[in-house]
Amino acid sequence: MKTIKVGLIGTGYIGLVHLEMLRRLGGVEVVAVADTNGDLARAAAGKFGIGRVYENAGALIADPEVEVVHDCAPNNVHFDINAQAIRAGKELLSEKPLALDSHESAELLELAQKHGTLTAIDFCYRYYPVVQEAAARAKRGDLGEVRAFMGHFLQDWLFFETDYTWRLDPEVAGQANVVADLGSHWFDLVQFITGQKIVEVMAELHTCLPKRRKPKAGPLSFGGGQTGDSEEVAITLDDYASIFLKLENGARGNFTTCQAAAGRKVDLEIQVFGSKESYAWSHVHPNALWIGHRERANEVFYESSQLQTVETRKYAILPTGHPLGYHDAMFNLFRDYYEALAAKRAGKPTKATFPDFRTGHEMMCIIDAAVRSDKSGAWVKVGK
Amino acid sequence: MKTIKVGLIGTGYIGLVHLEMLRRLGGVEVVAVADTNGDLARAAAGKFGIGRVYENAGALIADPEVEVVHDCAPNNVHFDINAQAIRAGKELLSEKPLALDSHESAELLELAQKHGTLTAIDFCYRYYPVVQEAAARAKRGDLGEVRAFMGHFLQDWLFFETDYTWRLDPEVAGQANVVADLGSHWFDLVQFITGQKIVEVMAELHTCLPKRRKPKAGPLSFGGGQTGDSEEVAITLDDYASIFLKLENGARGNFTTCQAAAGRKVDLEIQVFGSKESYAWSHVHPNALWIGHRERANEVFYESSQLQTVETRKYAILPTGHPLGYHDAMFNLFRDYYEALAAKRAGKPTKATFPDFRTGHEMMCIIDAAVRSDKSGAWVKVGK
Amino acid sequence: MKTIKVGLIGTGYIGLVHLEMLRRLGGVEVVAVADTNGDLARAAAGKFGIGRVYENAGALIADPEVEVVHDCAPNNVHFDINAQAIRAGKELLSEKPLALDSHESAELLELAQKHGTLTAIDFCYRYYPVVQEAAARAKRGDLGEVRAFMGHFLQDWLFFETDYTWRLDPEVAGQANVVADLGSHWFDLVQFITGQKIVEVMAELHTCLPKRRKPKAGPLSFGGGQTGDSEEVAITLDDYASIFLKLENGARGNFTTCQAAAGRKVDLEIQVFGSKESYAWSHVHPNALWIGHRERANEVFYESSQLQTVETRKYAILPTGHPLGYHDAMFNLFRDYYEALAAKRAGKPTKATFPDFRTGHEMMCIIDAAVRSDKSGAWVKVGK
Amino acid sequence: MKTIKVGLIGTGYIGLVHLEMLRRLGGVEVVAVADTNGDLARAAAGKFGIGRVYENAGALIADPEVEVVHDCAPNNVHFDINAQAIRAGKELLSEKPLALDSHESAELLELAQKHGTLTAIDFCYRYYPVVQEAAARAKRGDLGEVRAFMGHFLQDWLFFETDYTWRLDPEVAGQANVVADLGSHWFDLVQFITGQKIVEVMAELHTCLPKRRKPKAGPLSFGGGQTGDSEEVAITLDDYASIFLKLENGARGNFTTCQAAAGRKVDLEIQVFGSKESYAWSHVHPNALWIGHRERANEVFYESSQLQTVETRKYAILPTGHPLGYHDAMFNLFRDYYEALAAKRAGKPTKATFPDFRTGHEMMCIIDAAVRSDKSGAWVKVGK
């Protein structure tokens, strides 16, 4: 099999995770990295023996050897990089969000369709084996008709007034913070598991901490704390959001997200209630799926390369009962994407289930609707 | 200590639980029971050696030996019985809800205040030892300022179309089903733990199963199933509800309730996020309180007559680590009520924390606001 | 139904729990209490309106109105009281252990058989609804042949050197501490769930804290701490024990118990592995039974008055999903005993599954064998 | 940094996991693979672009470019391959067990010391972040003196009579099955967390399924089931074992292992009770450490690159709360090993905590002692 050549843009934390997971794949080679911080890019290239380093995205995209671009740059340049890469004829795997609003994401989707790009977006939570299992069971009818769903995504890295991030700055992050950053992952899970689109929302965006200390030396991420000088700034974006949702079939849902919930780290939970059974999944113990029944004992299904339905066994990479983690979820997504790419190259059909730019655009539409609903205090239909 | 004489109205399931828990108390004697179903009343009296049996509530209330009335009758006669008992100068412990709407509950509250009645209402979930502990810690400042709260109350006894209950019939149940029946317990916990009132709500009431089979032989309770003849009826009341809530201090909350969630039996969960720490409690494992922290390990506090704060140890009745259950929660409430009553009789002050008719009225106001919000699709302030 | 008259000896903590749970029963009346501490006995009698108070056990046993004796006295007088009660023709429910060694318990068993006494012993852990469920499923064949079993019983109330109890004094407690006090409960569960007798053991008794501070004012219980004067004493009895066990059918088991395990309060856990499925139960979350499968998802069975097998539903007293606690387990045992007693009085056969003096004697035999095994360092057969 | 060149022997399941995890490291390149099944080796080489393929271990060891050998061959050739690699001057990371008995492992240890080989053995469970955390806390004194420890390692892949593996054949597997295969992992955790050596054991090895169906087409692994012809064979090796253990300081422990426990997949659990606090860890939810206290609430510590002690944060690779899995544990071990190797090459001291051939030998000594104890029915001291 001919090796596929990859170029990766953005060698911060998430870019490095991409690099490690790309290296676990066979048949894929990262040939170039780019970062506006050249030292960061050179360190990553040195660590993994990557041949070429660029200090801007455009140069990497122009590299003729690069077939696939991984866009791990900051959110506010996603649109430009993604558009450039598509126009340059590259295949494209982008970090989320696709862009800053649904107008941009619509444009990207259209562009990708026009160029026949094989796109993917990194909504990796759906790639835990038992999340795949829930979706597969729902699809074959075990769940019955979905009636209701609920859940939350809670973190605490913005718990203190001294916690600050560029995500709270509307100039950089756009119109929403937590409902976009965390909400989009949850909305993707809802659509993936139920097989239904979210069509209407009623949202309340709220700021628990209306004042914060912003470090003068630049924003931080993931609760690293701060020691240097800081200034008080007013916060207008949401660090809490609650949303009612409706699916195509009329099923109701309810979601809460907050980044100031002490003790909750990456606490994503989803419950889906169908007319035949129920599912519940928590990212805190990500290898267990709860299956609820009215007339018999509930089940706890632990990921298993033997007991899962045939089509989802491949995501339970290890022998039954060996726990998988976040890295493996991302690896599973990458593997699906590169298998689909190999199929495309070979002119074969592919039935991939990975999230693509249509998914990314749908998430932007939901977020846009949530922001409008919060402003109007009324239900808002999700655009397309 | 002089024995207090009790009369109990309504000898169905919950009435029998009252009887058992009353008998665990010292200094209290049930001297009379009443039920319109005389056989039921006689069976209860026979079982526990209770001297007098009435076939209507009024006769029991008129019994001069009865000092305290326990109102365990069906919801739609709560108002009448409670009003009669107050007017007759009895002390009064009522099952929830206090009445069918907030106008009635306001009237009862006023009446009880006028007569100086010592009232209680059976919101017993707050009487699990670690729920008391959470409230005590919040009160002394451990929680800090409450910022957000969330939770759910899920059941599955109305999961099938063949499940039917009088609670779904607006003629009997009034304007709401699940948001009233289950929501009220949760709202009470919110106010009890945070020490704040719920002042505004945005609600959506929804009917997952718009058609059900109603047994011709009369309604059933708690998923007992049905075997006889039935007819299809249209359901208009809610079997699902989601609610955004605001507290006095501006804190936001979100709640979901559903009675068609396969596998969830009595699954009440509440999470409260403060500016210093967080609490989470689930009725499924009711003796453990989760305490969340940003900067150190989270804690799991198991009920303990030694480790709880001094004022809540009395609710952890057994040596540390012996699990308590639903019966014990109700017992704890009764004990507090009768201690307060003994204090009242002795002319002593009492600092009881049991829910009273003011609590009951507040819950009715929240439910009324939720129903109005659902109709208007907008936020509604909670009345007083 | 004629009321059964009960006399209770020993009005300490466990005696009071007996009194409360007896009062929850219908058709049973406590007519007398006895305690060598007369003040304690009078307080209990006053609280519950009990007519007669004795300051010694013999006087209560001689009371002609007393039909049933509850023996809640200290361990070292169990033998004498139980023997007296049997000889006086009383029915008898004794706290565990039956006596101080298996010679005494054999004598009691023989005596009871001779007098036709209806005996019971308070191994109440088997009366949690899902423990009953596990036993019922095993009995009907779901478990298959039992192959192996394991578990532990951990506490921490003897964690500090300043924790002291009479149970550590061989003059009062006999030849063993924790293996007797906690082990016996676990051994009873093994036999109850598997339906097999323990026939051989290999044990190691160990003292984690060989020196303790004994309060001069008298021993304490349940980790209450001590403030007064104390003296250092050498401890020879076990506060840790581990035991290999064999059942009649050759199945192997392993058990650990310790009272110095920080953070473990009443942490009893048992797992049974059969040729068809597995069971696991933990007293920390006592309403859930884990059922393990090789070829399909594991189950978590929550106590349910609807979903349990027909013969065990009566132990799930409340509607499905309302958690039961320690009090309810004891209540369930008492109810079974008094139903059997009513049947006996009525000359009807009874198929009771409550633990009786045969059970109590079997536990003493296992403990004796464990002590001998520890001394010899070899496997020892359990006597009969 | 100069790239380190690796050769890997044995391209079965575990060899492929090694290859993936080696590729996540920077500065390491796999230049050759070997397997007696040449097709398997060529497939692995093709997948990851590895240059040279050998059909026997000796040829790979003789490859002058290979600096480090990963020995992933079957157990019964571990000794030969490890000895050869050491003699050839290679650095060496071996799968467990080191050899088939403690005589062989002693020889390997001596040989490695003589040649100054940097050795490692793949006891990777200790590399979950919170296991490292438990050990670090114990080391700095938080645990106090260890008093007792317990745990189990349960699987179900040998549950059916139709499950068969070469591990049950003494010709291939040596003198023990489960106590060696699973026990060794658990013993390593005990020594790693407590910092104490296991010095004496009392063991019982047992065969739950004394007859099995052996497939004529060759043994299978991990419960894959079988469809072809089979023959009945008598099983003499253990599929269940229980062991009492003593540490250097006299602390007692107890362990159970079984491969026929329906529903238990890779269920390793360890509890350690110290004089100051307790730890419990389960591989089923491997990112949470339970910390038990007598006088305050217990803690649940979730892996965290921020909250762990400074020296263990590097093992919590992702931002706080992103779950890690089995792959990450192995990756952590490899990274430590290759960092130590880089330090060795640079002539720098290293304070690595990875398990090495001394560890591997110690495990063989414990297993040998367990086998002898089972035969004698008495306590046996662990050799050195």
Side-chain angles (χ1 to χ4, degrees):
Chain A
M1 190 172 67
K2 193 176 152 292
T3 294
I4 296 173
K5 303 288 173 37
V6 176
L8 181 140
I9 300 165
T11 52
Y13 144 65
I14 198 70
L16 292 176
V17 178
H18 277 239
L19 286 178
E20 280 191 28
M21 292 306 110
L22 280 165
R23 287 172 59 88
R24 282 176 65 180
L25 292 168
V28 174
E29 184 188 359
V30 179
V31 295
V33 290
D35 202 298
T36 52
N37 180 334
D39 291 341
L40 217 57
R42 276 181 291 274
K47 180 176 180 186
F48 292 117
I50 296 165
R52 291 192 294 285
V53 173
Y54 300 102
E55 298 207 4
N56 71 78
L60 182 141
I61 292 168
D63 184 329
E65 200 188 8
V66 168
E67 298 169 78
V68 184
V69 169
H70 278 234
D71 179 1
C72 301
N75 295 6
N76 56 346
V77 292
H78 279 184
F79 175 76
D80 284 343
I81 290 173
N82 287 340
Q84 275 186 59
I86 293 169
R87 289 199 181 97
K90 309 300 186 184
E91 311 291 3
L92 183 57
L93 191 158
S94 177
E95 263 305 316
K96 52 152 285 248
L98 215 45
L100 288 185
D101 62 44
S102 64
H103 299 290
E104 289 182 358
S105 61
E107 196 176 326
L108 286 177
L109 177 57
E110 196 187 347
L111 201 61
Q113 287 169 330
K114 187 174 137 194
H115 285 79
T117 316
L118 187 73
T119 59
I121 182 164
D122 189 22
F123 287 118
C124 61
Y125 290 93
R126 61 158 87 170
Y127 270 100
Y128 283 96
V130 294
V131 175
Q132 290 282 333
E133 181 68 9
R137 287 175 181 231
K139 193 173 180 182
R140 78 176 181 213
D142 292 19
L143 179 65
E145 184 79 0
V146 58
R147 287 173 174 172
F149 55 102
M150 50 174 282
H152 55 253
F153 197 157
L154 306 171
Q155 297 185 332
D156 72 358
W157 64 285
L158 295 179
F159 177 74
F160 289 119
E161 287 204 348
T162 46
D163 296 320
Y164 188 80
T165 170
W166 57 263
R167 292 179 191 278
L168 291 167
D169 180 354
E171 304 270 324
V172 186
Q175 54 196 346
N177 167 38
V178 70
V179 78
D181 187 27
L182 303 190
S184 59
H185 281 298
W186 196 84
F187 305 144
D188 178 58
L189 287 184
V190 168
Q191 297 201 158
F192 178 65
I193 294 173
T194 67
Q196 299 257 344
K197 302 299 179 194
I198 293 167
V199 296
E200 200 173 350
V201 299
M202 162 77 208
E204 192 197 18
L205 278 53
H206 179 65
T207 309
C208 292
L209 286 85
K211 285 182 187 170
R212 289 180 182 270
R213 304 296 310 178
K214 179 180 176 180
K216 293 188 176 170
L220 299 163
S221 280
F222 288 113
Q226 49 174 276
T227 48
D229 281 356
S230 64
E231 57 187 335
E232 185 175 290
V233 291
I235 303 295
T236 56
L237 291 188
D238 53 312
D239 53 21
Y240 167 95
S242 49
I243 312 184
F244 300 159
L245 311 101
K246 288 183 197 168
L247 298 185
E248 295 166 83
N249 76 341
R252 294 319 200 264
N254 193 3
F255 174 66
T256 312
T257 183
C258 182
Q259 286 166 323
R264 300 303 187 192
K265 306 304 178 185
V266 188
D267 184 1
L268 186 164
E269 184 176 299
I270 183 167
Q271 303 199 42
V272 178
F273 304 110
S275 60
K276 293 188 179 167
E277 63 188 25
S278 307
Y279 304 135
W281 180 75
S282 164
H283 188 243
V284 177
H285 295 304
N287 293 301
L289 177 69
W290 179 88
I291 304 173
H293 301 288
R294 157 68 183 273
E295 289 189 309
R296 56 188 179 94
N298 296 325
E299 297 170 277
V300 176
F301 188 95
Y302 203 86
E303 63 80 25
S304 168
S305 45
Q306 289 184 283
L307 301 183
Q308 298 199 193
T309 57
V310 172
E311 61 268 38
T312 73
R313 283 181 199 168
K314 64 183 288 196
Y315 304 112
I317 315 171
L318 292 164
T320 297
H322 287 77
L324 300 182
Y326 184 83
H327 282 116
D328 300 302
M330 196 181 286
F331 170 80
N332 277 335
L333 189 157
F334 286 10
R335 193 179 54 179
D336 262 15
Y337 176 75
Y338 281 97
E339 284 179 5
L341 187 52
K344 182 186 177 188
R345 294 282 156 94
K348 289 179 196 160
T350 173
K351 276 206 322 178
T353 64
F354 55 82
D356 59 13
F357 275 25
R358 172 160 299 284
T359 317
H361 172 58
E362 287 168 1
M363 294 307 114
M364 292 311 304
C365 291
I366 296 167
I367 294 162
D368 279 7
V371 170
R372 278 184 290 133
S373 169
D374 174 59
K375 282 180 183 147
S376 68
W379 284 87
V380 168
K381 289 203 190 310
V382 175
K384 282 182 185 175
Chain B
M1 190 169 66
K2 193 176 152 293
T3 295
I4 297 174
K5 303 286 170 39
V6 177
L8 182 139
I9 300 166
T11 53
Y13 144 65
I14 199 70
L16 293 174
V17 178
H18 278 239
L19 286 178
E20 280 192 24
M21 292 306 109
L22 280 165
R23 287 173 59 87
R24 282 176 66 182
L25 292 168
V28 175
E29 185 188 358
V30 180
V31 295
V33 290
D35 202 298
T36 52
N37 181 333
D39 291 340
L40 217 58
R42 276 181 290 275
K47 181 176 180 187
F48 292 117
I50 297 166
R52 290 192 293 286
V53 174
Y54 299 102
E55 297 207 6
N56 71 77
L60 182 139
I61 291 168
D63 185 328
E65 198 187 8
V66 168
E67 299 169 76
V68 183
V69 169
H70 277 235
D71 179 0
C72 300
N75 294 5
N76 56 346
V77 291
H78 280 182
F79 175 77
D80 283 343
I81 290 173
N82 288 339
Q84 276 186 58
I86 294 169
R87 288 200 182 96
K90 309 297 186 185
E91 312 290 1
L92 183 55
L93 192 158
S94 177
E95 263 306 315
K96 54 153 285 252
L98 214 45
L100 288 185
D101 62 43
S102 63
H103 299 291
E104 290 182 357
S105 61
E107 197 176 325
L108 286 176
L109 177 57
E110 197 186 346
L111 203 59
Q113 286 169 332
K114 188 174 136 193
H115 285 79
T117 317
L118 188 73
T119 60
I121 182 164
D122 189 21
F123 287 118
C124 62
Y125 290 92
R126 62 158 88 169
Y127 270 100
Y128 282 97
V130 294
V131 174
Q132 291 281 334
E133 180 68 10
R137 287 177 182 229
K139 193 173 180 182
R140 79 174 180 215
D142 291 20
L143 179 65
E145 184 79 1
V146 58
R147 288 172 173 172
F149 55 103
M150 49 174 282
H152 55 254
F153 197 157
L154 306 171
Q155 297 184 334
D156 73 357
W157 64 285
L158 296 179
F159 177 73
F160 290 118
E161 287 203 349
T162 46
D163 296 320
Y164 188 80
T165 170
W166 57 263
R167 294 180 190 278
L168 291 167
D169 180 355
E171 303 271 323
V172 186
Q175 54 195 347
N177 166 37
V178 70
V179 77
D181 187 27
L182 302 190
S184 59
H185 281 298
W186 195 85
F187 306 144
D188 178 57
L189 286 183
V190 168
Q191 296 199 158
F192 179 64
I193 294 173
T194 66
Q196 300 256 343
K197 301 299 179 193
I198 293 168
V199 295
E200 200 173 351
V201 299
M202 162 77 208
E204 193 195 18
L205 277 53
H206 178 67
T207 310
C208 293
L209 285 85
K211 286 180 187 170
R212 289 181 181 269
R213 304 294 311 176
K214 179 179 175 179
K216 292 187 177 171
L220 298 162
S221 280
F222 288 113
Q226 50 173 272
T227 49
D229 281 356
S230 64
E231 57 186 336
E232 186 175 289
V233 291
I235 302 295
T236 56
L237 291 190
D238 53 312
D239 55 20
Y240 167 95
S242 50
I243 312 184
F244 301 159
L245 311 102
K246 288 184 198 166
L247 299 185
E248 295 166 82
N249 75 341
R252 293 320 200 264
N254 193 2
F255 172 67
T256 312
T257 184
C258 183
Q259 285 165 324
R264 300 303 187 191
K265 307 304 179 186
V266 189
D267 184 2
L268 185 164
E269 184 177 298
I270 183 166
Q271 303 198 40
V272 178
F273 304 110
S275 61
K276 293 189 179 166
E277 63 187 24
S278 307
Y279 304 135
W281 181 75
S282 164
H283 187 244
V284 178
H285 296 303
N287 293 300
L289 176 71
W290 180 87
I291 304 173
H293 301 288
R294 158 67 183 274
E295 290 189 310
R296 58 188 178 93
N298 296 325
E299 297 169 276
V300 176
F301 188 94
Y302 203 86
E303 63 81 25
S304 168
S305 45
Q306 287 184 284
L307 301 183
Q308 297 199 194
T309 56
V310 172
E311 62 268 38
T312 73
R313 283 181 199 169
K314 64 182 288 197
Y315 304 112
I317 314 172
L318 292 164
T320 297
H322 287 77
L324 300 181
Y326 184 83
H327 282 117
D328 300 302
M330 196 180 289
F331 170 79
N332 278 333
L333 189 158
F334 286 10
R335 193 180 53 180
D336 263 15
Y337 176 75
Y338 282 96
E339 285 180 6
L341 186 52
K344 181 186 176 188
R345 294 283 156 95
K348 288 179 196 159
T350 173
K351 277 205 324 177
T353 64
F354 55 83
D356 59 13
F357 275 25
R358 173 160 298 284
T359 317
H361 172 58
E362 286 168 2
M363 294 307 115
M364 293 310 305
C365 291
I366 297 168
I367 294 161
D368 278 7
V371 170
R372 280 184 288 135
S373 169
D374 175 59
K375 283 180 184 149
S376 67
W379 284 88
V380 169
K381 289 204 191 310
V382 175
K384 282 182 186 174
Chain C
M1 190 170 68
K2 194 175 152 290
T3 295
I4 297 173
K5 303 286 171 40
V6 176
L8 183 139
I9 300 165
T11 52
Y13 144 65
I14 199 69
L16 292 175
V17 178
H18 278 238
L19 286 179
E20 279 192 27
M21 292 306 109
L22 280 165
R23 287 173 59 88
R24 282 177 65 182
L25 292 168
V28 174
E29 185 188 358
V30 180
V31 296
V33 290
D35 202 298
T36 53
N37 180 334
D39 291 340
L40 217 56
R42 274 181 292 274
K47 180 175 180 187
F48 292 116
I50 297 166
R52 291 191 294 285
V53 173
Y54 300 102
E55 298 207 4
N56 73 78
L60 182 140
I61 291 167
D63 184 329
E65 198 188 9
V66 168
E67 300 169 75
V68 184
V69 168
H70 278 237
D71 179 359
C72 301
N75 296 4
N76 56 345
V77 292
H78 280 182
F79 175 77
D80 284 343
I81 289 173
N82 288 338
Q84 275 187 60
I86 294 168
R87 288 198 182 96
K90 310 297 186 185
E91 312 291 1
L92 183 55
L93 192 157
S94 177
E95 263 306 314
K96 50 150 291 245
L98 216 44
L100 288 184
D101 62 43
S102 63
H103 300 291
E104 290 182 356
S105 60
E107 198 176 325
L108 286 177
L109 177 57
E110 197 186 347
L111 202 60
Q113 288 169 331
K114 188 174 136 196
H115 286 79
T117 316
L118 187 74
T119 59
I121 183 165
D122 189 21
F123 287 119
C124 60
Y125 291 93
R126 61 157 87 168
Y127 270 100
Y128 283 97
V130 295
V131 175
Q132 290 281 334
E133 181 68 11
R137 287 176 182 231
K139 193 173 182 182
R140 78 177 180 211
D142 291 19
L143 179 65
E145 184 79 1
V146 59
R147 288 172 172 172
F149 55 103
M150 50 175 282
H152 55 254
F153 198 158
L154 306 172
Q155 296 184 334
D156 72 358
W157 65 285
L158 295 179
F159 178 73
F160 289 119
E161 289 203 348
T162 46
D163 297 320
Y164 188 80
T165 170
W166 57 263
R167 294 180 189 279
L168 292 167
D169 180 356
E171 303 271 324
V172 185
Q175 55 195 347
N177 166 38
V178 69
V179 78
D181 186 27
L182 303 191
S184 59
H185 281 297
W186 196 85
F187 305 144
D188 178 59
L189 286 184
V190 168
Q191 298 201 157
F192 178 65
I193 294 174
T194 67
Q196 300 255 344
K197 302 297 180 195
I198 294 167
V199 296
E200 198 173 353
V201 299
M202 162 75 207
E204 191 195 21
L205 278 51
H206 179 66
T207 309
C208 293
L209 285 84
K211 286 181 187 170
R212 289 182 182 267
R213 304 294 311 178
K214 179 181 177 180
K216 293 188 175 170
L220 298 163
S221 279
F222 288 112
Q226 50 173 274
T227 47
D229 280 357
S230 65
E231 59 186 334
E232 185 175 290
V233 291
I235 302 296
T236 55
L237 291 189
D238 53 312
D239 53 22
Y240 167 96
S242 49
I243 311 182
F244 301 160
L245 311 102
K246 287 183 198 168
L247 298 185
E248 295 166 82
N249 76 341
R252 294 319 200 265
N254 193 2
F255 173 67
T256 312
T257 184
C258 183
Q259 285 164 324
R264 301 302 188 192
K265 307 303 176 183
V266 189
D267 185 2
L268 184 164
E269 183 178 297
I270 183 166
Q271 303 197 43
V272 177
F273 303 111
S275 61
K276 292 188 179 167
E277 62 187 26
S278 307
Y279 303 135
W281 180 75
S282 165
H283 187 244
V284 178
H285 295 303
N287 293 301
L289 177 70
W290 179 88
I291 305 173
H293 302 288
R294 158 67 182 275
E295 289 189 310
R296 57 187 177 96
N298 297 324
E299 296 170 277
V300 176
F301 188 94
Y302 203 87
E303 62 80 26
S304 168
S305 45
Q306 288 185 284
L307 302 183
Q308 297 200 193
T309 56
V310 172
E311 62 268 39
T312 74
R313 283 181 200 169
K314 64 183 288 197
Y315 304 113
I317 315 171
L318 291 165
T320 298
H322 287 78
L324 301 181
Y326 185 83
H327 282 116
D328 300 303
M330 195 180 287
F331 170 79
N332 277 334
L333 190 157
F334 286 11
R335 194 180 52 179
D336 263 15
Y337 176 74
Y338 282 95
E339 284 179 5
L341 187 52
K344 182 186 177 189
R345 294 282 155 95
K348 291 180 193 157
T350 174
K351 278 203 323 176
T353 64
F354 56 82
D356 60 12
F357 275 25
R358 172 159 299 285
T359 317
H361 173 57
E362 286 169 1
M363 295 307 114
M364 293 309 305
C365 291
I366 296 167
I367 294 162
D368 278 8
V371 169
R372 279 183 290 133
S373 170
D374 174 60
K375 283 180 183 146
S376 68
W379 284 88
V380 169
K381 289 204 191 308
V382 175
K384 283 181 184 173
Chain D
M1 188 171 68
K2 193 173 154 291
T3 294
I4 296 173
K5 302 288 172 40
V6 176
L8 181 139
I9 299 165
T11 52
Y13 144 66
I14 199 69
L16 293 175
V17 178
H18 277 238
L19 286 178
E20 278 192 27
M21 292 306 109
L22 279 164
R23 286 173 59 87
R24 281 177 66 181
L25 291 169
V28 174
E29 184 188 359
V30 179
V31 296
V33 290
D35 201 297
T36 53
N37 180 333
D39 291 340
L40 217 57
R42 276 182 291 275
K47 180 176 180 185
F48 291 116
I50 297 166
R52 292 191 294 283
V53 173
Y54 299 102
E55 297 206 5
N56 71 78
L60 182 140
I61 291 167
D63 184 329
E65 198 188 8
V66 167
E67 299 170 77
V68 184
V69 169
H70 278 236
D71 179 0
C72 300
N75 296 6
N76 57 345
V77 291
H78 279 182
F79 175 77
D80 284 343
I81 289 173
N82 288 339
Q84 275 187 59
I86 294 168
R87 287 198 182 95
K90 309 298 186 186
E91 311 292 2
L92 184 55
L93 190 157
S94 177
E95 263 307 314
K96 52 152 289 249
L98 216 44
L100 287 184
D101 63 41
S102 64
H103 299 291
E104 290 182 357
S105 60
E107 197 176 325
L108 286 176
L109 177 57
E110 195 185 349
L111 202 59
Q113 287 170 332
K114 187 174 137 194
H115 286 79
T117 316
L118 187 73
T119 60
I121 183 165
D122 189 22
F123 287 119
C124 61
Y125 291 92
R126 63 158 87 170
Y127 270 101
Y128 283 97
V130 295
V131 175
Q132 291 281 334
E133 181 68 10
R137 286 176 183 231
K139 194 174 181 181
R140 79 174 181 215
D142 292 19
L143 179 65
E145 185 79 1
V146 58
R147 287 173 173 172
F149 55 104
M150 51 174 283
H152 55 254
F153 198 158
L154 306 171
Q155 296 184 333
D156 73 357
W157 64 284
L158 296 179
F159 178 74
F160 290 118
E161 287 203 349
T162 46
D163 297 319
Y164 188 80
T165 170
W166 57 261
R167 294 181 189 277
L168 292 167
D169 180 356
E171 303 271 324
V172 186
Q175 56 196 346
N177 167 38
V178 69
V179 77
D181 186 26
L182 302 191
S184 59
H185 281 297
W186 195 85
F187 306 144
D188 177 58
L189 286 184
V190 168
Q191 296 200 158
F192 178 64
I193 294 173
T194 66
Q196 300 256 344
K197 301 298 179 194
I198 293 167
V199 296
E200 200 171 353
V201 299
M202 162 75 207
E204 192 196 20
L205 279 52
H206 179 64
T207 309
C208 293
L209 285 85
K211 285 182 187 171
R212 289 181 182 268
R213 304 294 312 177
K214 179 179 176 180
K216 293 187 175 171
L220 298 163
S221 280
F222 288 114
Q226 51 173 274
T227 49
D229 280 357
S230 65
E231 58 187 336
E232 186 174 290
V233 292
I235 303 296
T236 56
L237 292 189
D238 53 313
D239 54 21
Y240 167 95
S242 49
I243 312 182
F244 301 159
L245 310 102
K246 288 183 197 167
L247 298 185
E248 296 167 81
N249 76 341
R252 293 321 201 262
N254 193 4
F255 173 67
T256 312
T257 183
C258 183
Q259 286 164 324
R264 301 301 189 192
K265 306 304 176 183
V266 190
D267 185 3
L268 184 163
E269 183 177 298
I270 183 167
Q271 301 198 43
V272 178
F273 303 110
S275 60
K276 293 188 179 166
E277 63 187 24
S278 306
Y279 304 135
W281 181 75
S282 164
H283 187 244
V284 179
H285 296 302
N287 294 301
L289 177 70
W290 179 87
I291 305 173
H293 301 287
R294 159 68 184 274
E295 290 190 310
R296 56 186 177 96
N298 297 324
E299 297 169 277
V300 176
F301 188 94
Y302 203 87
E303 63 79 25
S304 169
S305 45
Q306 286 184 286
L307 300 183
Q308 298 199 192
T309 56
V310 172
E311 61 269 37
T312 73
R313 284 182 198 167
K314 65 183 287 197
Y315 303 112
I317 314 172
L318 291 165
T320 297
H322 286 78
L324 300 181
Y326 185 83
H327 282 118
D328 301 302
M330 195 181 288
F331 170 80
N332 277 334
L333 189 157
F334 286 11
R335 193 179 54 180
D336 262 15
Y337 176 75
Y338 281 97
E339 284 179 6
L341 187 51
K344 182 186 176 188
R345 293 284 156 93
K348 289 178 195 159
T350 173
K351 279 204 321 177
T353 64
F354 56 83
D356 60 13
F357 276 25
R358 172 159 300 284
T359 317
H361 173 58
E362 286 169 1
M363 294 308 113
M364 294 309 305
C365 292
I366 297 167
I367 294 161
D368 279 7
V371 170
R372 279 183 289 132
S373 168
D374 174 61
K375 283 180 184 147
S376 68
W379 284 88
V380 169
K381 288 203 191 309
V382 175
K384 282 181 186 175

